[in-house]
Each structure stands twice: as structure tokens, then as C-alpha cells.
Amino acid sequence: MKKTLLSLLCLAVATLLLGACTEKESTLGMNLQDPATIYDGQLDTAYGVYYTVLDDSLLTSGQAQGLVGCYHDDLFGDAEAVIFAQIAPPNESGVEFDQYCFIDSVVLSLAISDVYNPSGAKGNKGYKRMHFEVYQLAEPVMTDTAYYSFDQLAVSNVCLFNKVVRVPVTDTLVVSLPLDNSIISLFSNKSYATADEFIQAAKGLRIRLVNDGEPVMATVNFAASATRLSVYYTYNNVDDPNSDSIYRSYDFVIGNNESRSAAHFNQYINHYNGPLAMFNSTTTDSLDGAQYAYLSPMGGTNIKADFNTFVQQFHQDHPYATIHYAEMLLPVADVASPARPDMIAAFKCYIDGEVVSIPDIYDPFTYSGFDGGYDPATGCYRLRITQHLQKMLNSGQDLGTLLVLNNRRASAAHTVINGYNSSKPASIRFVYSE
């Protein structure tokens, strides 16, 4: 009887072990495999032409991040980013500094999330010299107006800050700029019934970095609570002998907070070098990409790719082809800066000039291959465009794919792509069956 029970127990354990070896197919480990190799079908590669175009209608108002500063790059030229921002109360109920409020100081604080260096290195000193210049505006930033990278507002003759500050090169930092005492008159013994009344009186600020020998570009986080204008004052009711002096502060919004947003936008100024210098003239808006194609932020340059010749021929030869996987490969040129952009995004072009995001949307819950990031193994940016290519092949024509830097409003990083006549041009690698 004991032997029978022991035999049954061994048989049960063996059955469990056998079942454990018959697990159903899963996606575990698929991220270790190149996505183009996991589909059954034929592998093909499409080649086309492309050219550099101006990004001349970049919306910059209301963004969560912006840029301030300037830089020089031998390939791209000179660029400058200037911030125009409202000063707004934290809510709509207005603000009052009565006769018992004695203003001590007003400080502009900027939360900086990145300091850009075209060489890709942080430098030996561990800090950057930043020459900030802050002026009060002569006209207010309008809340209900869309501002673009070419927009600007007039400034008054009131300079509120013009000094060099030493900023440590760290991942996150806050720069505090004590403003000139002339701004105190905006608050001292003043009452504003509504937020809009104060905004109209304050006008706003123009914030820029002066290029005095050490150009730098900084990313400002408008969504951070540390980005604000703080009024420090002493409250002392001199009419009440039993009242104690109380030191207080009141924070105004110049970006976004939980209760309200203050209107702000970036002006971007580009003066191009080398082959891109043709864009300094308003008569030219594209540069052939036979040798190189250029991607730059801040209302700079995009790339428009055209695979129409290939698409037409493939549609004629394979009218019922099903695309299982497709990716666009954008090889980075040797002349590009090592400080590479994080991601490249793709948009479908229409005949009327409109562009929309391609239908291949990143899904973090499924295996999705590459979605615009840089792949050091291939030296390429890789963009998954399976549905985008399928739609082009179904229609038998390609109206163009616009390639842009995904973070072009908040990062000064730029790059160069090999030209279509190079030994390693941009291409579309895809797997299909029919």
C-alpha cells in the first residue's frame, strides 16, 4: 500500500513538471530581438529622396517647457531663444498689498532642467556663466492669443536684471534673480480687484541670456512650482501697538501651476551657417538632401522625405501586399554633434500642406520596436511606420513624410542625417507577404 501511494505521488510530480514545460507562447524576451526578424514574410528595403525644410510655423505659447539662451554651431550657425511671460496672480480673485505691507524684495526664479552644450561635455569647471537680462514689457502678453516662434513683444526702458550668475551644471537647478527695486512700485500700497487688472498693469517680462563669450542654452520648466515671481514683504500694522511684524511672501505665476496658467511663449532667432545659410534669405525654403539633411529645433529645420517612386512601383508589382513590420532608418552623419536629440517624430503630409501624426502610435503594453529613438548599434534613429507604409502602398502614392525633432521646443540638441546619395542613406526596411 505504501509503495502504491509513493508511486502515485511520483506520477503527480512528474505530471506537474511536464505541464510546466508546455507554457504557451509569450512576448518574454522579445525586446532582445530585432523587430524585423520576428515576422514571416519577405524582407525589402525602400530608398527615396529627401530635403531640409524650414520649420517656419512652430507654436510656442502655453508649452510646459521652453528655452532661454544662445549658442553657436559651425554647421548650423547661431541661435537664440527669448522668453516672453505674463506675471499673474495664483488665482482670479486679484491681489492687494495694503499700507501695512512693506516690500523688501522681488525675486524671479527659474527651474532649469537641462543646460545644453553642443560638444556633449559638461566642462571642467562644473558650472556655466549665464548673463541674464530681464526687461519689463511695454505691452501685455495676451492670454487668448496663439504665439509662434517668430513672434515678439516690445519692451519698456525698465531693466530689472542685467548680471552674470554662476549656474552649476546639474540635472535640476533653480536660478534666482533678485530684480531691481524699480519693480516694487508695481506692488507697494497697491490693490488690484481682479487678476486681469494686475496682468494689464504688470505687462510681463522678457527674459534672455546675453552672449558675452560663453553661449549656453537652458531648458526652463514652466510647470515646476519653483518657476515663479516671489514678492517678499514685512506686514506690520503700525496702527495696532499689539501687532507684531510678520515676514511673508506672495508667489506670482509666470508659467503653470495647479490653479491657473500664465501666458508665455518663446521667440526663436536663427542665423544659419554653411549650406544652411541659404535659409537666411526669405526666398528659399528647402535644401536638397543629396549630401546631408539637417534637423534643428527652435523653429529651425525639418526633413521632408519622399519615397513616391518606390511606392508607385511596389504598388504596381504587389497590389495586395500586407505589411507586417516597417521601420524608417535615419543614419546619423559623422559630422553631427555628439549631443544628440532624444527622439525624432514623423508626420504624414497632405497635398494641401497640412500634416498629421502617422497612425503608428507607441503602445507601452505591447512590443512596439523602435519609435524614433537613437540606436547606437546601427548608428541610426529608428521609427516604426508599419501602418503609415501600408496606407501609402494601398494608395499607390507618397505625398511625403515630415520628420521633426520631438522635443524641438525644449531642447537645443540637433543632428545631421546622411544624404540620399551617401553609401548609407535613409531607408525604409519592411517585411511583407501577399
Side-chain angles (χ1 to χ4, degrees):
M1 184 64 178
K2 290 183 179 180
K3 290 184 179 181
T4 301
L5 289 174
L6 182 59
S7 299
L8 290 173
L9 182 59
C10 292
L11 180 61
V13 172
T15 302
L16 289 173
L17 291 174
L18 182 61
C21 297
T22 58
E23 181 184 355
K24 292 183 179 180
E25 183 178 339
S26 75
T27 59
L28 182 63
M30 291 180 71
N31 59 339
L32 303 177
Q33 185 176 4
D34 192 292
T37 66
I38 65 176
Y39 298 97
D40 291 329
Q42 301 184 64
L43 180 65
D44 203 347
T45 303
Y47 296 95
V49 297
Y50 39 94
Y51 42 98
T52 304
V53 297
L54 284 176
D55 187 8
D56 56 1
S57 58
L58 182 64
L59 182 71
T60 63
S61 54
Q63 304 298 315
Q65 292 182 308
L67 289 166
V68 62
C70 48
Y71 73 81
H72 170 79
D73 182 275
D74 290 338
L75 280 176
F76 287 85
D78 299 299
E80 182 179 7
V82 183
I83 292 173
F84 295 82
Q86 275 183 353
I87 308 170
N91 52 59
E92 297 295 336
S93 60
V95 61
E96 179 181 11
F97 294 91
D98 62 23
Q99 68 271 28
Y100 305 118
C101 298
F102 300 90
I103 310 298
D104 295 315
S105 62
V106 180
V107 178
L108 172 65
S109 299
L110 302 173
I112 295 177
S113 57
D114 182 62
V115 177
Y116 175 72
N117 187 330
S119 69
K122 290 183 179 293
N124 297 324
K125 297 179 181 179
Y127 66 87
K128 284 287 186 181
R129 294 176 67 256
M130 293 188 181
H131 184 170
F132 279 93
E133 178 192 84
V134 181
Y135 270 84
Q136 186 175 13
L137 296 178
E139 55 183 304
V141 183
M142 305 304 293
T143 303
D144 56 355
T145 299
Y147 293 96
Y148 292 83
S149 58
F150 48 78
D151 285 319
Q152 61 178 315
L153 296 175
V155 298
S156 70
N157 60 358
V158 180
C159 181
L160 299 173
F161 190 89
N162 189 0
K163 295 179 182 178
V164 174
V165 297
R166 285 166 44 120
V167 179
V169 182
T170 58
D171 292 336
T172 303
L173 58 102
V174 177
V175 176
S176 296
L177 310 176
L179 301 185
D180 186 82
N181 286 338
S182 59
I183 198 175
I184 290 178
S185 62
L186 180 65
F187 310 100
S188 183
N189 200 18
K190 294 292 178 63
S191 176
Y192 302 93
T194 65
D196 188 64
E197 183 180 335
F198 175 85
I199 290 170
Q200 294 300 316
K203 303 295 191 294
L205 304 173
R206 187 192 73 178
I207 308 166
R208 63 186 292 262
L209 287 177
V210 178
N211 184 359
D212 56 359
E214 191 174 352
V216 66
M217 194 73 72
T219 301
V220 176
N221 185 359
F222 288 113
S225 60
T227 299
R228 61 179 183 257
L229 185 83
S230 300
V231 177
Y232 296 95
Y233 64 99
T234 301
Y235 183 82
N236 184 9
N237 187 348
V238 295
D239 296 328
D240 182 358
N242 296 319
S243 175
D244 295 327
S245 295
I246 303 174
Y247 191 66
R248 296 176 176 175
S249 65
Y250 189 95
D251 292 335
F252 289 85
V253 181
I254 63 169
N256 311 310
N257 69 11
E258 294 180 356
S259 58
R260 71 164 299 143
S261 296
H264 55 272
F265 70 93
N266 258 121
Q267 177 198 19
Y268 296 132
I269 305 166
N270 292 285
H271 186 80
Y272 299 101
N273 270 357
L276 294 176
M278 61 188 298
F279 289 139
N280 294 327
S281 168
T282 57
T283 60
T284 304
D285 61 2
S286 66
L287 172 65
D288 184 77
Q291 183 178 13
Y292 294 119
Y294 302 85
L295 283 170
S296 61
M298 301 163 46
T301 57
N302 300 326
I303 295 175
K304 187 173 182 180
D306 179 2
F307 291 86
N308 192 52
T309 300
F310 177 90
V311 167
Q312 288 181 336
Q313 187 63 52
F314 191 91
H315 175 75
Q316 179 179 327
D317 298 339
H318 311 278
Y320 306 110
T322 298
I323 307 301
H324 301 289
Y325 181 85
E327 63 173 298
M328 184 178 290
L329 301 173
L330 303 174
V332 175
D334 293 338
V335 297
S337 168
R340 297 186 184 90
D342 292 334
M343 185 176 293
I344 296 174
F347 293 82
K348 175 182 174 61
C349 299
Y350 285 90
I351 197 168
D352 60 359
E354 293 296 316
V355 295
V356 298
S357 299
I358 65 172
D360 297 272
I361 300 174
Y362 173 68
D363 181 0
F365 299 105
T366 63
Y367 181 77
S368 54
F370 293 88
D371 286 274
Y374 178 74
D375 176 25
T378 60
C380 297
Y381 283 89
R382 302 175 66 173
L383 291 80
R384 180 172 58 100
I385 60 166
T386 307
Q387 296 180 61
H388 179 50
L389 180 62
Q390 182 73 74
K391 290 179 181 293
M392 287 194 294
L393 294 176
N394 287 345
S395 67
Q397 70 177 60
D398 174 18
L399 296 176
T401 302
L402 188 68
L403 304 170
V404 306
L405 297 179
N406 191 57
N407 206 24
R408 62 196 183 281
R409 296 176 180 87
S411 172
H414 46 251
T415 195
V416 184
I417 303 300
N418 281 342
Y420 60 79
N421 280 344
S422 69
S423 59
K424 188 180 179 182
S427 62
I428 299 175
R429 185 177 60 162
F430 63 99
V431 179
Y432 72 97
S433 63
E434 55 185 336

